[in-house]
Amino acid sequence: METKHNASKFKELFDSYYTRLYYAAVAIVKDPMAAEDIVEDVFVRFWERMEILDTDDKAIYTYLFRMTYNKCDDYMRHRNVQLRFNKHYLRLHSEGFMADDNLFDERMGVVERVRKVMPDKTRQIMDLCYYENKQYTEVAAIVGLSKDGVRKHVMKALAMLREAFSVKKRKRQ
């Protein structure tokens, strides 16, 4: 009976606040699809924690709005990192760093060697993220992990690639 009460209360809150939170997210991230994903993530997280958040509707709205704002902030920071990487890649490409076919082939060979020694799950996640251009949310659904779990695998793989491309390691003195 408790679950049914929670479901009806959740539906009532969802119906009341979804549109407001969605438009707030769109105003921040300027991307309707991302805003939709963000607000859905907020409500999923809220559903998971609903039993311990037994409070009045105004406090719940404040909580949901703060969660939405924080998720938008995380999204924008991640997007800025991606944009900086893209600019850096384009700059390197335009300066001829990647223009030499032999150098490009050599670097891709290093990437392939590193891919082969990655754990299976990490390699699968990297392939989905970088070869198939899927977002962390999509990859999480495919591999059965949370977005944070996907992010950890990506960070692990990127660390492996950085190490493979490092020319010289600094010695601690």
Side-chain angles (χ1 to χ4, degrees):
M1 188 74 169
E2 184 69 31
T3 305
K4 188 173 185 176
H5 174 70
N6 284 346
S8 65
K9 179 69 173 174
F10 179 82
K11 181 174 178 0
E12 176 187 323
L13 292 168
F14 183 88
D15 291 342
S16 297
Y17 300 136
Y18 180 86
T19 303
R20 285 186 252 181
L21 295 173
Y22 169 78
Y23 283 115
V26 168
I28 296 169
V29 300
K30 309 286 191 255
D31 180 351
M33 300 267 304
E36 188 175 317
D37 288 344
I38 288 167
V39 175
E40 286 175 5
D41 286 347
V42 165
F43 275 104
V44 166
R45 180 79 171 133
F46 176 69
W47 173 255
E48 292 168 350
R49 304 188 77 218
M50 191 170 165
E51 288 182 11
I52 62 173
L53 296 172
D54 191 26
T55 186
D56 64 52
D57 284 0
K58 185 176 180 183
I60 289 174
Y61 175 71
T62 303
Y63 174 79
L64 291 172
F65 185 80
R66 176 48 68 187
M67 276 182 51
T68 302
Y69 178 83
N70 289 341
K71 290 248 183 216
C72 288
D73 190 42
D74 290 345
Y75 171 84
M76 294 303 291
R77 270 186 285 162
H78 179 71
R79 188 160 179 248
N80 287 337
V81 168
Q82 285 178 321
L83 291 173
R84 281 197 317 265
F85 174 79
N86 290 345
K87 286 179 184 177
H88 178 70
Y89 177 82
L90 289 173
R91 184 176 49 81
L92 290 176
H93 187 70
S94 67
E95 291 174 358
F97 181 73
M98 300 292 276
D100 182 9
D101 285 342
N102 291 332
L103 183 59
F104 179 78
D105 291 341
E106 181 182 322
R107 289 179 184 273
M108 289 308 294
V110 171
V111 170
E112 283 304 312
R113 282 193 298 278
V114 172
R115 269 187 77 252
K116 287 179 183 175
V117 298
M118 286 179 186
D120 291 338
K121 181 80 75 179
T122 303
R123 182 175 46 252
Q124 179 188 17
I125 289 170
M126 287 301 288
D127 289 348
L128 290 168
C129 289
Y130 291 97
Y131 290 126
E132 297 183 27
N133 295 320
K134 295 197 181 292
Q135 294 182 350
Y136 286 3
T137 308
E138 295 173 292
V139 174
I142 292 169
V143 298
L145 292 174
S146 67
K147 275 192 340 186
D148 287 336
V150 169
R151 187 174 293 119
K152 286 177 185 175
H153 279 278
V154 169
M155 289 171 53
K156 178 180 181 178
L158 292 176
M160 292 173 74
L161 287 168
R162 274 193 300 274
E163 186 172 322
F165 280 105
S166 69
V167 176
K168 192 183 224 182
K169 293 183 182 179
R170 291 185 188 173
K171 292 182 182 178
R172 291 188 182 186
Q173 297 175 336

